């Protein structure tokens, strides 16, 4: 029999602190959709996605109702389309993307990921098609998300690919200039891309995964922040160790909710349950912010000295609680710091408290990287590429996933506020210091070799 | 299964003080009997105990209650009720049912428990555990329910929420596993 205090504490977490399941992502392998004719390929793709995913939204809603937990986002993640696009051209890529957009709309999911290419060691013909088509794909579709893996622990950093991405970002931004370069928000550039990430825009289904699987992203930072504030209201003198413990306990409970819902959705869909991703993903809503957690830990503003340590504490405690709650943890599993999607981070950028370099330092101890940052539209492509290269180096050397989702906003200067709408939020444009000073380094191209596996200091 | 052939249900109520369980169990032991299961709770300073006991020899229920009532260390005002128990009435959930939890919060007023329990009774839904508490002006009601799978949860939720709205109460009906998963070491309830 359940105890009354257990019921009350869960009710408090669900209703006062707005616990939810952030994302249920159905991952699907679509390699078998390959065909010599593009029309046939697209028909197979449409049929496969709609037949496997048409019940996803309904099932998520029904399971959500049963437990009293809303499932906010329902998504589809595919195996990289670069595989099925091999042997085809750019027109085919756009047709495939439009097919994905249509299938996603029919299944009523909010995004479909997997317009992806893995180019950490080199660029194949299919990868090349994917990369070249990105400006058109991301400007002409609504729900298609793209990702590129340009670096890995075992391959090093493909600087030819990184250099190309610098130019690509400007082209995508230009193609979506009427939306302030929003197309770039649907492209994530990775080092060590996870194969089972449920979070967009970077979700795709990696090699070694089953035919279909359900991956879960748990609730946002709001629950953790409320738990900390509640404890601190009762005992203002708690140490950082005490607060880490509180985060750990909250993470345990949040993860359990994800696991419970995920297993049931997977069973009802008749597919394997994949993983729970422990990541705390903020939203622009007040109170659902990683920045606010950092400030609750005792910093007057995020970006102040101590911010990296605070993020490290948070990220580690979340993992410790989550790992005990679920035996199938995967994906990114850390704390995200997407600037435009986190009202406190965006405020700190606007007030000059949080700068690019500090943000980069913070990404070295959390997931996932420089996320949803707006930069001036006239930033040179080599500088954009060099920002990516720096972030990739953090991932490759520290054996972790890092990523960049950066929007060079056409016509915007540092400090100007841009609004991407809805969950993507708004942010002031970051100042890029030393713009134009990285050209030669990036233009040299080639591959930064894979790092040493020992002597790890 | 009971230890002995003759099964009785005892209900003891008293103002709360140390020694009640000891006194009751002494009386059972004096009759050569066995306590097969028991559950106790204290509410508002009052003690209540329900007990299933089995005895090797049959006794009149009035005598059994009297023996316990006269047990020496029981002090103050108390009541004992004894009935003959049925061996087959075990607390196993009926087939095709699932446990759900109803929670209701709002400004206290007479009739809350009646409204909700009447609704549940009308649907033949069994309440297996009930908790209610008035704190300041607020009333909290938590009921653990056995729900037949024939009911559409959404319809029950809609009815209960509507009833809650009329009373100014927030009402939720949720599967018990959400509370198990977030509080206990295992992910879901057994069975």
């Amino acid at each position: 029999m359940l105890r009354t205090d257990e019921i009350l504490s869960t009710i408090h977490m669900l209703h006062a602190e707005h616990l939810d399941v952030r994302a249920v992502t159905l991952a699907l392998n679509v390699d078998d959709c390959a065909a010599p004719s593009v029309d046939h390929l697209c028909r197979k793709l449409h049929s496969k996605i709609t037949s496997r995913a048409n019940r996803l939204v309904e099932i998520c809603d029904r399971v959500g109702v049963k437990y009293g937990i809303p499932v906010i986002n329902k998504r589809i993640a595919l195996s990289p389309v670069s595989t099925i696009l091999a042997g085809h051209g750019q027109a085919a890529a756009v047709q495939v993307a439009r097919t994905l957009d249509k299938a996603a709309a029919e299944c009523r999911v909010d995004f479909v990921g997997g317009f992806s290419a893995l180019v950490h060691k080199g660029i194949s013909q299919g990868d090349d098609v994917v990369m070249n088509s990105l400006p058109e794909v991301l400007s002409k579709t609504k729900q298609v998300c793209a990702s590129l893996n340009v670096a890995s622990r075992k391959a090093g950093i493909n600087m030819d690919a990184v250099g190309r991405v610098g130019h690509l970002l400007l082209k995508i931004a230009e193609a979506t200039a009427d939306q302030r370069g929003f197309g770039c928000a649907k492209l994530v550039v990775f080092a060590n891309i996870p194969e089972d990430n449920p979070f967009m825009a970077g979700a795709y289904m990696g090699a070694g995964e089953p035919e279909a699987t359900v991956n879960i992203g748990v609730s946002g930072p709001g629950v953790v922040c409320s738990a900390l504030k509640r404890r601190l209201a009762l005992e203002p003198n708690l140490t950082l160790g005490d607060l880490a413990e509180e985060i750990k306990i909250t993470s345990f409970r949040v993860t359990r909710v994800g696991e419970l819902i995920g297993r049931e959705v997977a069973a009802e869909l008749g597919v394997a349950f994949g993983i729970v991703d422990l990541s705390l993903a903020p939203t622009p809503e007040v109170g659902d912010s990683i920045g606010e957690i950092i400030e609750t830990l005792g910093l007057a503003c995020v970006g102040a000295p101590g911010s990296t340590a605070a993020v490290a504490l948070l990220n580690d405690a979340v993992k410790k609680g989550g790992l005990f709650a679920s035996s199938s943890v995967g994906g990114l599993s850390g704390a995200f710091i997407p600037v435009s999607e986190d009202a406190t981070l965006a405020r700190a950028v606007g007030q000059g408290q949080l700068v690019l370099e500090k943000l980069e330092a913070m990404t070295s101890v959390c997931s996932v990287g420089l996320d949803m940052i707006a930069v001036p539209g006239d930033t040179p492509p080599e500088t954009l590429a060099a920002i990516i290269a720096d972030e990739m180096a953090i991932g490759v050397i520290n054996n972790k996933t890092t990523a960049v989702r950066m929007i060079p906003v056409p016509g915007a200067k540092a400090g100007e506020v841009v609004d991407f709408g809805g969950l993507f939020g708004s942010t002031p444009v970051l100042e890029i210091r030393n713009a134009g000073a990285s050209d030669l380094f990036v233009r040299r191209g080639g591959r930064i070799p894979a790092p040493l596996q020992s002597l790890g200091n | 299964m009971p230890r002995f052939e003759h099964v009785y249900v005892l209900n003891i109520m008293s103002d709360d003080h140390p020694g009640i369980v000891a006194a009751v169990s002494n009386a059972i032991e004096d009759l050569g009997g066995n306590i097969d299961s028991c559950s106790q709770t204290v509410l508002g300073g009052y003690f209540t105990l329900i007990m299933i006991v089995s005895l090797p020899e049959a006794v009149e229920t009035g005598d059994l209650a009297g023996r316990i009532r006269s047990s020496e260390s029981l002090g103050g005002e108390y009541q004992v009720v004894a009935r003959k128990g049925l061996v087959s009435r075990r607390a196993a959930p009926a087939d095709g049912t699932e446990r759900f939890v109803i929670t209701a919060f709002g400004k206290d007023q007479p009739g809350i428990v009646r409204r909700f329990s009447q609704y549940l009774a009308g649907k033949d839904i069994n309440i297996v555990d009930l908790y209610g508490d008035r704190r300041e002006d607020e009333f909290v009601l938590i009921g653990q329910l056995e729900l037949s799978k024939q009911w559409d949860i959404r319809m029950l939720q809609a009815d209960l929420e509507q009833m809650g709205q009329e009373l100014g109460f927030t009402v939720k009906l949720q599967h018990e596993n959400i509370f198990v998963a977030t509080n206990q070491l295992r992910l879901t309830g057994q069975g």
Side-chain angles (χ1 to χ4, degrees), chain A residues 1-11 13-15 58 61-62 65-69 252-254 256-257 259-261 263 324-325, chain B residues 98-101 103 105 128-129 131 135 140 142 144 153-154 157 172-188:
Chain A
M1 194 65 79
L2 290 158
R3 294 206 323 263
T4 303
D5 61 330
E6 294 176 335
I7 293 173
L8 286 172
S9 77
T10 298
I11 287 288
M13 188 169 72
L14 297 183
H15 306 301
E58 180 224 320
D61 290 345
R62 194 169 68 235
V65 160
K66 178 175 169 187
Y67 295 109
I69 312 265
F252 171 87
R253 308 181 82 193
V254 167
R256 272 296 174 76
V257 172
E259 173 119 350
L260 185 67
I261 303 265
R263 286 195 181 276
F324 185 62
Chain B
E98 283 186 281
R99 285 273 174 95
F100 276 73
V101 178
T103 49
F105 306 82
V128 291
D129 195 65
Y131 165 91
R135 276 182 210 160
V140 181
I142 300 176
Q144 298 187 46
I153 299 303
R154 276 185 246 222
Q157 285 172 334
K172 303 279 171 193
L173 179 68
Q174 294 161 278
H175 195 281
E176 71 160 359
N177 278 348
I178 193 68
F179 301 101
V180 176
T182 49
N183 288 289
Q184 300 182 2
L185 292 179
R186 60 176 191 269
L187 182 65
T188 56

Side-chain angles (χ1 to χ4, degrees), chain A residues 50-410:
Chain A
T50 52
S51 65
R52 294 306 289 259
N54 63 350
R55 289 170 57 233
L56 177 66
V57 172
E58 180 224 320
I59 289 172
C60 287
D61 290 345
R62 194 169 68 235
V63 174
V65 160
K66 178 175 169 187
Y67 295 109
I69 312 265
V71 177
I72 306 296
N73 300 305
K74 298 94 176 174
R75 279 110 184 235
I76 299 168
L78 305 175
S79 53
V81 297
S82 59
T83 306
I84 53 173
L85 281 172
H88 294 282
Q90 200 174 317
V94 176
Q95 196 177 331
V96 162
R98 285 187 189 277
T99 305
L100 297 180
D101 221 25
K102 183 165 173 277
E106 286 174 25
C107 295
R108 294 181 296 131
V109 297
D110 54 355
F111 285 112
V112 51
F115 204 90
S116 309
L118 308 177
V119 295
H120 39 276
K121 204 168 178 190
I123 301 172
S124 71
Q125 185 265 335
D127 300 331
D128 194 56
V129 169
V130 165
M131 290 176 82
N132 285 336
S133 67
L134 285 176
E136 201 177 347
V137 164
L138 295 177
S139 60
K140 291 189 174 165
T141 60
K142 278 187 174 165
Q143 287 157 292
V144 176
C145 290
S147 53
L148 298 169
N149 193 54
V150 298
S152 78
R153 174 79 169 171
K154 288 193 171 163
I157 305 171
N158 182 349
M159 286 301 290
D160 292 329
V162 170
R164 262 178 81 173
V165 173
H167 290 276
L168 262 179
L169 285 179
L170 290 178
K171 283 188 194 160
I172 297 165
E174 207 50 54
T176 51
D178 55 337
Q179 302 167 69
R180 318 244 41 197
F182 177 69
C184 295
K186 295 183 284 181
L187 169 64
V188 188
V189 184
F190 279 100
N192 300 319
I193 188 170
E195 288 152 348
D196 47 12
N197 162 27
F199 286 104
M200 290 297 174
Y204 93 112
M205 185 192 230
E209 292 284 307
E211 173 73 9
T213 178
V214 166
N215 298 321
I216 304 291
V218 298
S219 191
V223 183
V224 172
C225 201
S226 303
L228 290 178
K229 285 182 174 167
R230 193 177 59 236
R231 277 297 307 272
L232 284 166
L234 298 171
E235 298 168 80
N237 295 323
L238 290 176
T239 67
L240 292 173
D242 299 330
L243 294 171
E245 186 65 20
E246 189 65 31
I247 295 170
K248 200 170 84 178
I249 292 167
T250 308
S251 172
F252 171 87
R253 308 181 82 193
V254 167
T255 306
R256 272 296 174 76
V257 172
E259 173 119 350
L260 185 67
I261 303 265
R263 286 195 181 276
E264 193 148 331
V265 169
E268 292 224 10
L269 271 175
V271 305
F273 175 67
I275 57 95
V276 180
D277 188 319
L278 309 176
S279 298
L280 295 180
T283 64
E285 278 179 43
V286 172
D288 200 19
S289 156
I290 292 287
E292 198 176 332
I293 296 178
I294 292 167
E295 293 182 355
T296 303
L297 289 172
L299 292 162
C301 62
V302 58
S307 298
T308 308
V311 174
L313 177 158
L314 169 66
N315 204 52
D316 184 64
V318 162
K319 286 180 196 184
K320 285 173 177 163
L323 278 172
F324 185 62
S326 166
S327 48
S328 7
V329 171
L332 295 158
S333 286
F336 293 171
I337 47 172
V339 176
S340 74
E341 296 173 356
D342 185 308
T344 307
L345 292 176
R347 187 215 67 213
V349 167
Q351 295 178 353
Q353 295 152 342
L354 180 58
V355 297
L356 178 66
E357 290 75 8
K358 187 63 182 179
L359 201 56
E360 184 184 304
M362 287 160 65
T363 67
S364 66
V365 293
C366 74
S367 70
V368 63
L370 294 170
D371 196 13
M372 286 306 287
I373 58 170
V375 299
D378 61 358
T379 310
E382 291 80 4
T383 299
L384 296 176
I387 292 170
I388 294 171
D390 283 344
E391 191 62 42
M392 298 301 103
I394 290 172
V396 167
I397 297 294
N398 295 309
N399 203 16
K400 71 192 284 294
T401 299
T402 51
V404 175
R405 188 159 51 141
M406 171 165 57
I407 302 126
V409 184

